[in-house]
Amino acid sequence: MCKSPLHDFLHGLPKCEHHVHLEGCMSPELIFTLAQRNNIPLPDPATNPAYASIAALTARYDHFSSLDDFLAFYFQGMAVLMNEADFADLAWWYFSKAHADGVHHAEVFFDPQVHIDRGIPYETVVNGFAQGCQRAERELGLSTRLILCFVRHLPVSNAANVYEKFISSGHFEAGVVHGLGWSSTEVGPPKDMFREQYADALTRNIPLTAHAGEEGDPTYISTALELGATRIDHGIRLIEDPELMKRVAAQGTLLTVCPLSNVRLRCVTSVEQVPIRRFLESGVKFSINSDDPAYFGGYILDNYCAVQEAHQLSVLEWRIIAENSVQQSWIEDSRKAELLDKIESHVKQYMPLAGGAEL
């Protein structure tokens, strides 16, 4: 828990999360539990000491040397997911944590290619995660959106096969899967490797987002925008291109910033280096998110607290962040209005901390 006078305000502030990978919520506890439940052997501790215990694996997560170092553990963690119940349990684990942190709306990523490649049917993955979403809406009152992510470390042909499954399933029209994104290794693969899939998705009015500008330079961001992405996941290197930053601000493109992730993957050395104030001052819209919280040591409230401790934002600055998060969510206007009312009511309770400024 942060020591800021605004901690209670931050905890209660209605939040939208737009950048969290469900597979990134595989806590060491859950990995060991599902491995035992499904009789899945974990790596031999003799050659990989991180898997000697829950504590050892948790400790190893504190020492990722790069994005690729993290991804090796990330993909290993997925191996214990075998059936719909496993995927539903994983989603519920995330939604329970998010709800406790004050999340009211969550747009969550999933990576079907990796599961399909290890023999898990596409339908098993989607049905399980969808069950978790439905339970969160029913029992916790959250609104949810499920976003299919292509992964950049696998060939385009692999993504094309998954895209065909997605289209033929009718999941978008049925409101089961709500959009597309891409993730995984940023630098190395072609910047526009999913051009064909994104072009087709645009003809179907499928919302698009893309991981860009985390490790890669601002041209990764401009390429994603050119392909039709209306949101940019991470995007912290946008500040290296002032003209592109003006364009992103003018368009109202949302960046889904993940501060603790940026530090853990060594994109920055501290949360102070995440350009929160630069974005606020330039009118760039962004939300604060947890990315892969089981691996990066913090769910969404931890990220809010880390930003507050590093940048000392005011109540009204947090109000701007919260309202932009709602406005740029992929939800209907009636739900946006409901969430904006909740934010306004919450902020009013803390107006003495805002110096009595008018709403």
Side-chain angles (χ1 to χ4, degrees), residues 7-293:
H7 177 77
D8 290 343
F9 166 76
L10 293 175
H11 190 187
L13 183 64
K15 304 171 186 69
C16 297
E17 182 150 36
H18 305 107
H19 187 156
V20 59
H21 300 265
L22 288 176
E23 291 91 348
C25 300
M26 287 291 299
S27 68
E29 295 91 338
L30 198 54
I31 289 173
F32 276 78
T33 297
L34 293 182
Q36 183 177 28
R37 183 164 91 184
N38 293 323
N39 197 28
I40 302 295
L42 295 174
D44 186 353
T47 56
N48 195 334
Y51 289 92
S53 66
I54 292 173
L57 190 55
T58 301
R60 177 60 177 82
Y61 289 174
D62 287 334
H63 302 288
F64 295 127
S65 60
S66 67
L67 177 61
D68 285 338
D69 180 36
F70 150 67
L71 288 172
F73 284 89
Y74 180 75
F75 294 128
Q76 177 61 53
M78 293 186 192
V80 301
L81 296 164
M82 298 301 296
N83 52 57
E84 287 186 11
D86 299 333
F87 290 97
D89 286 350
L90 173 56
W92 178 250
W93 174 273
Y94 161 71
F95 287 123
S96 298
K97 300 281 282 186
H99 179 257
D101 278 358
V103 172
H104 288 241
H105 174 68
E107 303 187 358
V108 296
F109 296 126
F110 72 107
D111 301 334
Q113 288 168 261
V114 181
H115 303 298
I116 292 170
D117 278 6
R118 59 188 183 85
I120 308 300
Y122 168 82
E123 293 77 11
T124 297
V125 179
V126 176
N127 291 344
F129 281 148
Q131 288 171 26
C133 290
Q134 291 159 9
R135 184 180 177 188
E137 294 186 356
R138 184 175 62 250
E139 298 185 24
L140 302 176
L142 272 71
S143 49
T144 68
R145 294 292 184 266
L146 197 54
I147 303 172
L148 188 159
C149 257
F150 300 131
V151 289
R152 290 169 55 82
H153 68 282
L154 293 177
V156 174
S157 59
N158 188 294
N161 289 335
V162 171
Y163 182 69
E164 289 304 316
K165 292 178 185 294
F166 164 59
I167 294 301
S168 63
S169 70
H171 282 154
F172 177 67
E173 293 79 4
V176 177
V177 178
H178 303 86
L180 296 176
W182 76 53
S183 62
S184 188
T185 303
E186 184 174 7
V187 178
K191 297 173 187 176
D192 65 343
M193 65 183 295
F194 303 120
R195 180 178 293 274
E196 183 176 340
Q197 289 71 39
Y198 271 42
D200 186 77
L202 285 174
T203 68
R204 303 173 188 271
N205 296 316
I206 297 172
L208 301 173
T209 185
H211 284 53
E214 177 188 17
E215 289 190 317
D217 63 50
T219 62
Y220 287 81
I221 298 172
S222 56
T223 299
L225 294 173
E226 185 243 318
L227 266 56
T230 58
R231 282 212 304 244
I232 296 295
D233 302 310
H234 290 297
I236 58 171
R237 293 189 64 182
L238 177 65
I239 61 169
E240 298 171 16
D241 187 334
E243 289 305 312
L244 182 60
M245 189 156 67
K246 290 178 183 177
R247 173 186 164 195
V248 166
Q251 292 177 172
T253 303
L254 186 78
L255 307 184
T256 66
V257 178
C258 306
L260 292 179
S261 166
N262 294 155
V263 174
R264 190 61 66 90
L265 294 183
R266 304 176 186 246
C267 299
V268 296
T269 59
S270 68
V271 176
E272 285 86 351
Q273 291 185 345
V274 179
I276 298 297
R277 284 209 171 274
R278 286 280 302 279
F279 288 155
L280 281 169
E281 292 164 0
S282 302
V284 173
K285 296 180 178 179
F286 62 91
S287 59
I288 303 293
N289 308 272
S290 62
D291 199 1
D292 299 284

